[in-house]
Amino acid sequence: EPEVTQTPSHQVTQMGQEVILRCVPISNHLYFYWYRQILGQKVEFLVSFYNNEISEKSEIFDDQFSVERPDGSNFTLKIRSTKLEDSAMYFCASIPTSGRLEQYFGPGTRLTVT
Amino acid sequence: AQSVTQLDSQVPVFEEAPVELRCNYSSSVSVYLFWYVQYPNQGLQLLLKYLSGSTLVKGINGFEAEFNKSQTSFHLRKPSVHISDTAEYFCAVRRGGSQGNLIFGKGTKLSVKP
């Protein structure tokens, strides 16, 4: 069964550095999402993406964040200048069409900012 | 605004005992509800979903949930749990719109003891 994949599984970076988290959604999916889960807290929505542009974003998704679908298969989340509070598990999700309601999640990337 | 409340942060239970994980939601629009499971160090896996129709929904691994509109609840149940059910369980409601993101509860850690 097709799966959403994410790389790396764990990323350690120093405060102020840029990180790029990568996701490969299921091949025929059209809508993409990023969520994050700070340790011990609930999963929170960051951004949704469709047709090569952001559809919606939460208040967490400030100017330090950006998303891109650079080559038709990868879907990336960039954090320009990481802060300690960006340490979290980041999940990518996708759905095939607007009529499908369940989101397929990747295994996540654990980001640790030191 | 839509929201999800999971009333129990931790539920310890003995193997083969029944379990109920509680979830209440608030929504002023059509409701689409989901339960996801997160095993240790893994991503989110869909357990079951309520989109419409029968209020009793059956999912994977022997879980089921009942949608109760009058009580705005979507409690998850399993008649007999296994050690392997030890995980964190998240209730989520899908925000309105064709690309609506998921709004998650804080999660319930189910701990099954022998």
Side-chain angles (χ1 to χ4, degrees), chain A residues 5-14 19-22 34 37 39 84 86-91 106-114, chain B residues 41-42:
Chain A
T5 59
Q6 291 185 242
T7 54
S9 57
H10 190 190
Q11 173 92 45
V12 181
T13 189
Q14 289 189 329
V19 293
I20 298 176
L21 310 181
R22 291 183 168 78
W34 282 103
Q37 183 185 26
L39 188 63
L84 294 176
D86 293 326
S87 294
M89 181 74 92
Y90 289 81
F91 293 106
T109 292
R110 179 164 298 285
L111 176 65
T112 303
V113 182
T114 61
Chain B
N41 301 313
Q42 294 189 29

Side-chain angles (χ1 to χ4, degrees), chain B residues 63-100:
Chain B
F63 283 93
E64 62 181 33
E66 185 154 20
F67 170 63
N68 188 319
K69 188 174 181 178
S70 62
Q71 296 189 8
T72 60
S73 67
F74 190 54
H75 300 332
L76 181 70
R77 301 185 182 104
K78 186 168 182 178
S80 176
V81 293
H82 301 278
I83 299 284
S84 58
D85 293 322
T86 295
E88 188 154 20
Y89 293 79
F90 292 93
C91 183
V93 63
R94 187 178 186 273
R95 212 171 63 79
S98 62
Q99 304 164 38

